[in-house]
């Protein structure tokens, strides 16, 4: 029994280390991705069902797709992980419940947009927007939100890698 307990603890530790390594690789944009053509409308509809079960009954989730939405090339598994990270942060910002909206739309990043967002290249994109009715972030937290290991959560309740993983994945995916 002691050996089995030690093996189980070792396996859990190894799995946590693997997950942490994956998040660090995503942040550094060195994670191997497996992009595939994806229908974002179908993806967000399926994600809502999964997220609703994960987030509980106090969070209402709405998916807003668009007719004529372009297909994208993205790693669907990593996109799902990124969406889960955003949804968990949204849930934590709504301790008494609220609304989480996931919306997809075609967009064109023109000269003005690129000037205001220098990390984005001019061109056509599908924007996946996640918003919530939560408390929001004060400016000092907002300025650090994508830093790895930065967290406002209690010790043991988060690694501070959720938003940095999302950021790294988005950057790596273009």
């Amino acid at each position: 029994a002691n050996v089995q307990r030690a093996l189980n603890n070792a396996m859990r530790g190894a799995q946590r280390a693997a997950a942490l390594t994956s998040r660090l690789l995503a942040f550094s944009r060195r994670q191997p991705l497996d992009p595939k053509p994806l229908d974002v409308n179908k993806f967000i509809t399926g994600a809502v069902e999964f997220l609703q079960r994960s987030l509980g009954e106090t969070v209402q989730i709405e998916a807003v797709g668009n007719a004529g939405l372009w297909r994208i090339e993205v790693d669907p598994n990593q996109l799902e992980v990124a969406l889960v990270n955003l949804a968990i942060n949204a849930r934590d910002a709504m301790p008494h419940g609220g609304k989480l909206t996931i919306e997809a739309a075609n967009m064109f990043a023109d000269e003005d947009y690129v000037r205001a967002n220098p990390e984005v290249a001019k061109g056509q994109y599908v924007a996946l927007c996640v918003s919530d009715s939560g408390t929001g972030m004060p400016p000092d937290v907002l300025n650090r939100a994508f830093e790895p290991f930065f967290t406002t959560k209690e010790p043991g309740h988060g690694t501070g890698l959720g938003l940095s993983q999302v950021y790294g994945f988005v950057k790596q995916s273009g």
Side-chain angles (χ1 to χ4, degrees):
N2 287 341
V3 170
Q4 186 62 44
R5 190 170 30 254
L7 283 172
N8 288 342
N9 286 339
M11 285 298 292
R12 274 195 303 276
Q15 289 167 342
R16 286 176 49 205
L20 178 63
T21 301
S22 176
R23 288 177 159 184
L24 287 170
L25 286 170
F27 176 74
S28 67
R29 298 179 223 131
R30 289 185 170 83
Q31 182 170 7
L33 297 178
D34 186 19
K36 295 176 173 42
L38 182 74
D39 179 330
V40 179
N41 282 327
K42 286 182 183 175
F43 175 82
I44 62 174
T45 300
V48 166
E49 295 171 18
F50 168 74
L51 290 172
Q52 192 66 69
R53 287 191 302 269
S54 301
L55 299 181
E57 296 177 11
T58 63
V59 177
Q60 175 193 354
I61 305 174
E62 180 180 13
V64 181
N66 273 294
L69 193 64
W70 302 319
R71 293 176 67 84
I72 61 172
E73 286 271 332
V74 69
D75 185 322
N77 295 322
Q78 292 304 316
L79 180 58
E80 184 173 67
V81 168
L83 197 55
V84 167
N85 279 323
L86 294 172
I88 288 170
N89 280 337
R91 179 203 60 203
D92 293 349
M94 301 182 292
H96 304 293
K99 184 175 180 180
L100 173 71
T101 304
I102 305 167
E103 183 175 1
N106 296 332
M107 68 162 283
F108 179 74
D110 61 12
E111 296 293 336
D112 292 336
Y113 187 89
V114 170
R115 215 176 352 270
N117 301 279
E119 294 182 348
V120 177
K122 183 178 173 183
Q124 296 178 331
Y125 295 89
V126 171
L128 188 58
C129 305
V130 179
S131 59
D132 64 70
S133 62
T135 56
M137 291 184 219
D140 61 319
V141 172
L142 187 58
N143 289 334
R144 299 187 62 202
F146 294 108
E147 291 178 17
F149 305 111
F150 175 75
T151 184
T152 58
K153 296 177 183 173
E154 299 288 322
H157 291 258
T159 60
L161 289 171
L163 291 179
S164 61
Q165 181 273 332
V166 172
Y167 177 80
F169 168 69
V170 169
K171 294 296 292 175
Q172 187 176 359
S173 297

